[in-house]
Amino acid sequence: SFEIDKLWGKVYFVLEGVSSCAFLYINDKYVGFTEGSHLQAEFDITDFVSEGKNTLRTVVYKWCVGSYLEDQDFFRCNGIFRDVYVLERNVGHIVDFKIDANIDGSVNISTAPNTKVAIYDNGEVIADTVTDNEGKAALKVENPALWNAEKPYLYQIELKKAGETILENLGFREYAISDKKEFLVNGVPVKIKGINHHDTHKDNGWVMSDEDIINDLIKMKELNINTIRTSHYPPSPRFLDYCDKMGFYVILETDIETHGFLRRLPNVGY
């Protein structure tokens, strides 16, 4: 149960990780269903809640059709393993945004129309604008400090719309493959020293606190690891934030890994 003192905006319920699938009910009314165990599931529950006490019920199943798409090589756990919360946001808030930053300092933004955009460097505004009627905006940072795993320099970008402020880290970097088949970061050859990583704790299974995630990344730094493959599923969004801040190249994979299942079928050639 949870209480809402005052309804003033849009209300959402978020499951950041639940395996294998879940049905959601608010005040005994069916709201929706989610699969994709390591992906965030966000439900708009504005029309299902009222001021005062509300009752939320989540029914979680161990197996579902999506289990055949998540035949990953890892310890299998089930249930709700990441944060769960109710979120109230202003009407007319930003629904989505995309930020493209190039090493020449140009930044292109796609989001809601009439969104105020500002770029900060160590707390100082160095560029700002407002998106046009199509939600597009372009800014320029002169002589940007480039991001890499050794020197993970980050700027901050601020989006303001409908009384709400969203902050994101912003890095300038470019990946490429040279004619010699070298992996280039900002034009410089880099040797990858990588590791596969699962969100797994020795006592808590898939449940990892921010401290657990940071401890894993610190150990990787101590072992001179500079690249992380998320191995068949998305990590907690905060994991990626810490990788940006601490300096790791990330090979980010999605929640699809079917070959273990396919190889159980007869007459399948490879």
Side-chain angles (χ1 to χ4, degrees):
S1 296
F2 63 96
E3 297 214 10
I4 298 178
D5 294 333
K6 184 178 180 180
L7 279 173
W8 48 265
K10 301 285 289 183
V11 185
Y12 301 93
F13 174 68
V14 181
L15 283 160
E16 289 199 347
V18 56
S19 179
S20 69
C21 69
F23 294 83
L24 177 66
Y25 301 84
I26 302 288
N27 297 325
D28 294 325
K29 293 182 179 179
Y30 173 73
V31 176
F33 169 82
T34 178
E35 286 183 2
S37 61
H38 287 76
L39 297 168
Q40 288 180 299
E42 182 180 271
F43 299 88
D44 184 346
I45 60 173
T46 308
D47 296 335
F48 295 87
V49 296
S50 59
E51 293 183 356
K53 184 178 179 180
N54 294 269
T55 301
L56 180 150
R57 182 163 60 97
T58 304
V59 180
V60 179
Y61 284 83
K62 183 174 182 179
W63 305 110
C64 68
V65 172
S67 300
Y68 293 107
L69 303 178
E70 298 180 3
D71 191 29
Q72 293 106 335
D73 306 321
F74 59 2
F75 293 112
R76 293 198 176 274
C77 302
N78 297 93
I80 298 170
F81 57 92
R82 289 186 185 152
D83 285 353
V84 175
Y85 48 89
V86 175
L87 182 66
E88 191 163 10
R89 301 180 65 187
N90 293 345
V91 174
H93 66 77
I94 293 171
V95 175
D96 198 6
F97 60 88
K98 182 180 180 181
I99 302 168
D100 288 318
N102 304 296
I103 60 173
D104 64 359
S106 61
V107 181
N108 296 303
I109 297 162
S110 299
T111 185
N114 302 313
T115 299
K116 294 181 180 179
V117 183
I119 297 175
Y120 289 80
D121 184 12
N122 290 320
E124 179 182 351
V125 176
I126 57 174
D128 62 341
T129 188
V130 178
T131 59
D132 60 21
N133 291 333
E134 295 182 350
K136 308 291 186 181
L139 299 94
K140 181 78 175 195
V141 174
E142 299 297 334
N143 300 314
L146 302 185
W147 183 99
N148 60 37
E150 289 74 35
K151 295 181 179 179
Y153 196 94
L154 291 173
Y155 297 81
Q156 288 73 45
I157 190 162
E158 177 185 77
L159 306 176
K160 284 188 174 182
K161 172 78 174 178
E164 183 180 75
T165 300
I166 296 174
L167 295 172
E168 281 288 335
N169 289 316
L170 174 67
F172 293 91
R173 61 102 181 99
E174 182 180 71
Y175 297 153
I177 303 297
S178 74
D179 294 338
K180 299 178 181 179
K181 309 302 181 184
E182 301 164 312
F183 175 56
L184 305 180
V185 179
N186 305 327
V188 178
V190 170
K191 186 173 183 179
I192 290 177
K193 298 181 180 179
I195 191 171
N196 293 334
H197 183 269
H198 288 167
D199 284 353
T200 305
H201 187 276
K202 64 183 179 66
D203 298 317
N204 302 325
W206 289 354
V207 179
M208 294 191 72
S209 66
D210 282 23
E211 182 181 5
D212 295 330
I213 292 172
I214 292 170
N215 285 339
D216 274 6
L217 295 175
I218 289 173
K219 289 295 183 186
M220 294 179 203
K221 279 290 184 181
E222 291 173 349
L223 295 168
N224 295 317
I225 290 166
N226 64 3
T227 305
I228 301 169
R229 173 178 174 248
T230 63
S231 298
H232 314 318
Y233 62 81
S236 162
R238 290 186 296 281
F239 181 92
L240 301 175
D241 287 338
Y242 292 133
C243 288
D244 289 342
K245 293 174 182 176
M246 298 174 68
F248 288 95
Y249 308 116
V250 178
I251 301 167
L252 181 61
E253 298 192 357
T254 191
D255 237 337
I256 298 177
E257 179 76 2
T258 61
H259 60 244
F261 171 69
L262 289 175
R263 286 170 182 167
R264 289 173 174 82
L265 295 178
N267 302 320
V268 174
Y270 288 90

